[in-house]
Amino acid sequence: MKSGQPRLLVSVRNAEEAIAACLGGADIIDVKEPLNGSLGRASAEVMESIAASLADCAADRVPTASEAMMQEAVATKRPLSLALGEVDEWLGDSGSLSLQMQSVVASSRPRYLKLGLSGLCSQGLASEHSWKDDWKRVRAMLSGDHSWVAVAYADHQRAEAPDTFDVCAEAIESGCSVLLIDTFVKDGTTLLDWLPLPKLRELRVVTASANLQLALAGRVTERELPALLSLSPDIVAVRGAVCLGGDRTATVCSDRVKSMVTSLRDCSG
């Protein structure tokens, strides 16, 4: 990866897609079920199978001639990220979800965990600060050697979620390592439709001063890269752009991942 080039995060829904993302040159493998929403939580079985496939690919073995190229492409284990759904899905849980996910986190050892904040700023909430308490309470359920990604929805009004600058401030206060700016409703609109570049630059100044990594998502395609890379993000996160037909519910294609990696390199030049 060229110096100054952001890392590419690819969201995958099964082990086959994880291998395709690795072959294409993805830097971070994120587990997500797109049918379950922007941060759709996959099943525990899927999370564990993807973690196992990445470990197998990185394990030392003697490849056959036909496997040599693939082995070289996936020889280094990629950092794993797990999308855990929305905080409000965890509230009121009897404990079965937290126990199950704690087991997954212990076995798969992800680098990053992320939770969405949709629904936490609806009119019925008594206090504007309650979303912070709910977020911290759910995060405390999952111990381990991982970093938390704070997720700010650019279309936060539609998500009934906190404002992006409020999430950024709380991410710094509560020790998150990454701020991910994404879109909640997947209706074809892009990140820049909801947060123009001047606002994103303001956020970038704040994250840079706090040593908080910035990840950008929200229907990012190669067309948006020149504008977004002017912000010097640390991570660019994609799914639809690297799926067949550009459909986020379709299958991740290694050639499309390669194309995105090439565009990141060229635009970072």
Side-chain angles (χ1 to χ4, degrees):
M1 183 172 66
K2 183 187 293 186
S3 177
Q5 178 180 326
R7 290 180 292 166
L8 179 65
L9 177 150
V10 174
S11 293
V12 302
R13 70 195 312 182
N14 55 44
E16 291 74 20
E17 287 191 352
I19 298 302
C22 287
L23 285 170
D27 300 296
I28 303 169
I29 303 300
D30 176 59
V31 183
K32 174 166 69 177
E33 175 45 65
L35 294 179
N36 293 340
S38 181
L39 291 184
R41 187 178 64 253
S43 69
E45 293 76 18
V46 166
M47 291 180 182
E48 290 172 336
S49 70
I50 291 174
S53 71
L54 295 178
D56 288 344
C57 287
D60 292 332
R61 62 186 176 92
V62 179
T64 64
S66 61
E67 292 177 311
M69 186 175 295
M70 176 177 175
Q71 177 66 9
E72 181 179 356
V74 297
T76 302
K77 186 177 179 182
R78 267 62 167 187
L80 183 67
S81 166
L82 300 181
L84 300 177
E86 305 292 322
V87 165
D88 64 359
E89 298 171 25
W90 293 69
L91 300 178
D93 174 57
S94 62
S96 58
L97 177 59
S98 58
L99 285 174
Q100 183 184 52
M101 287 300 104
Q102 182 61 60
S103 176
V104 170
V105 168
S107 63
S108 61
R109 302 180 67 182
R111 176 81 58 82
Y112 304 106
L113 296 180
K114 55 185 180 178
L115 284 159
L117 301 172
S118 69
L120 297 185
C121 289
S122 60
Q123 267 189 325
L125 291 182
S127 168
E128 65 180 70
H129 301 294
S130 62
W131 68 266
K132 301 176 184 179
D133 299 330
D134 290 338
W135 186 28
K136 290 176 183 175
R137 185 162 66 250
V138 175
R139 285 163 55 183
M141 296 178 186
L142 299 171
S143 59
D145 184 21
H146 50 256
S147 297
W148 280 100
V149 176
V151 181
Y153 288 127
D155 55 341
H156 65 92
Q157 300 94 337
R158 299 197 294 178
E160 296 187 324
D163 176 83
T164 49
F165 284 87
D166 290 340
V167 175
C168 180
E170 184 60 23
I172 296 168
E173 178 68 24
S174 62
C176 293
S177 65
V178 182
L179 172 68
L180 167 65
I181 306 177
D182 200 351
T183 52
F184 177 68
V185 180
K186 303 301 182 182
D187 59 358
T189 56
T190 72
L191 173 64
L192 291 174
D193 291 325
W194 295 97
L195 269 183
L197 277 174
K199 284 292 184 184
L200 285 169
R201 287 195 184 97
E202 288 181 39
L203 279 165
R204 188 50 175 147
V205 169
V206 176
T207 60
S209 64
N211 199 29
L212 177 67
Q213 293 183 68
L214 178 66
L216 300 178
R219 196 171 176 79
V220 175
T221 68
E222 294 177 28
R223 183 171 58 185
E224 286 82 35
L225 283 182
L228 294 179
L229 293 187
S230 71
L231 303 167
S232 299
D234 300 285
I235 299 169
V236 171
V238 298
R239 177 168 173 85
V242 296
C243 286
L244 295 172
D247 180 357
R248 69 189 295 271
T249 64
T251 303
V252 169
C253 171
S254 61
D255 286 340
R256 283 181 171 267
V257 178
K258 289 177 185 176
S259 179
M260 182 61 75
V261 170
T262 298
S263 294
L264 282 172
R265 182 184 64 239
D266 293 344
C267 292
S268 300

